[in-house]
Amino acid sequence: MKLKTLFAQACTAVVLGAMAHAALADQLDDIKKAGKIRVAIAMGTPLFSFADANLQPAGSDVETAQLLAKDLGVKLDIVSVTNAARVPTLQANRADVVVADLSITPERAKVIDFSVPYAVISIIVGGPKSMNIKSYADLDGKRIGLTRATVNDTETTQNAKGAQIVRYEDDATLITSMVTGQVDIFSSTPSNLGEMVKRAPGKNLELKFTQKDFDLGIALNKDQPRLKEWLNEWVKTNLKNGKLNAIYKKYHGRDLPDSVTKAS
């Protein structure tokens, strides 16, 4: 009797495991049946995702998500998140995918999946022209602001061990902190530097040095092979036909690098 019970429990576990895998693998069908795709976007990130003059979502990530939903034949449901909430929102199934300037890193790839790269982002250190900052070593003893749970956070924490890091929950708060003088040095993106210069031209802010360039991917949960395959083919198709490059250039003023466009 005991053996029969153990055998029945084992069979039940196998069936439940198979059902769970099937449910995940069928997410593409679920999205189509629902008639909408929930896309997490970190609103408040200049050039990538922001509110335009009419308070409507705009930016390269927003247009990328709009094109994705259109090609999938469903409505776009934007799930507005902070940078720190991008991965947790996906893992909690509050979004189907993430299109939010999310860099592809080995650490993130352990817990979520990515499509092939659809765009790129550069991370930089910036500050007043009066400050002599050319490398991480020049940050020793200085306060530097950045956005929590970003590659800026990771890279700066690893390489500027002598700096005092001030972390903010989103790019909008980081920009405000620079404009209002709460911090004088920051690690962010060229687009955020541009926004700071526009808001506070008298601070004479400039790019000090480039930290690193990262590929951006559309993030999805693991064990979703059909959805991942569709996303990969969608990215490759729209890189080849130039649509993703046109979106990127419209907002960032430059073409995507060959490392992205020719990899498709």
Side-chain angles (χ1 to χ4, degrees), residues 4 8 28 64 74 104 133 145 205:
K4 288 184 179 179
L28 181 60
T64 296
V74 297
I104 301 172
I133 299 172
L205 298 175

Side-chain angles (χ1 to χ4, degrees), residues 11-168:
C11 289
T12 300
V14 170
V15 170
L16 290 175
M19 288 174 65
H21 179 78
L24 287 170
D26 285 342
Q27 188 179 8
L28 181 60
D29 287 338
D30 292 340
I31 292 169
K32 290 180 178 179
K33 289 176 183 177
K36 68 177 181 179
I37 182 166
R38 300 169 301 161
V39 181
I41 300 178
M43 298 302 297
T45 304
L47 305 188
F48 285 97
S49 46
F50 55 93
D52 64 14
N54 297 315
L55 300 181
Q56 296 300 308
S60 59
D61 274 345
V62 172
E63 285 204 21
T64 296
Q66 290 170 340
L67 180 62
L68 189 156
K70 178 183 176 183
D71 289 348
L72 190 54
V74 297
K75 292 181 180 179
L76 172 62
D77 181 4
I78 293 178
V79 180
S80 183
V81 296
T82 62
N83 291 86
R86 291 173 296 183
V87 173
T89 297
L90 182 63
Q91 292 178 309
N93 196 34
R94 293 194 294 269
D96 299 308
V97 298
V98 177
V99 182
D101 60 286
L102 192 63
S103 302
I104 301 172
T105 66
E107 293 77 18
R108 288 171 177 160
K110 292 176 183 178
V111 295
I112 59 173
D113 263 345
F114 287 96
S115 70
V116 295
Y118 72 95
V120 294
I121 191 170
S122 298
I123 63 170
I124 63 166
V125 167
K129 291 181 180 179
S130 58
M131 285 189 173
N132 184 25
I133 299 172
K134 296 181 180 179
S135 68
Y136 287 112
D138 296 323
L139 297 175
D140 283 356
K142 296 182 174 65
R143 295 174 76 244
I144 179 169
L146 50 75
T147 304
R148 186 187 307 277
T150 60
V151 287
N152 301 80
D153 193 348
T154 303
E155 290 295 316
T156 305
T157 300
Q158 290 177 349
N159 295 293
K161 297 188 182 301
Q164 180 185 347
I165 298 175
V166 183
R167 294 176 174 84
Y168 297 94

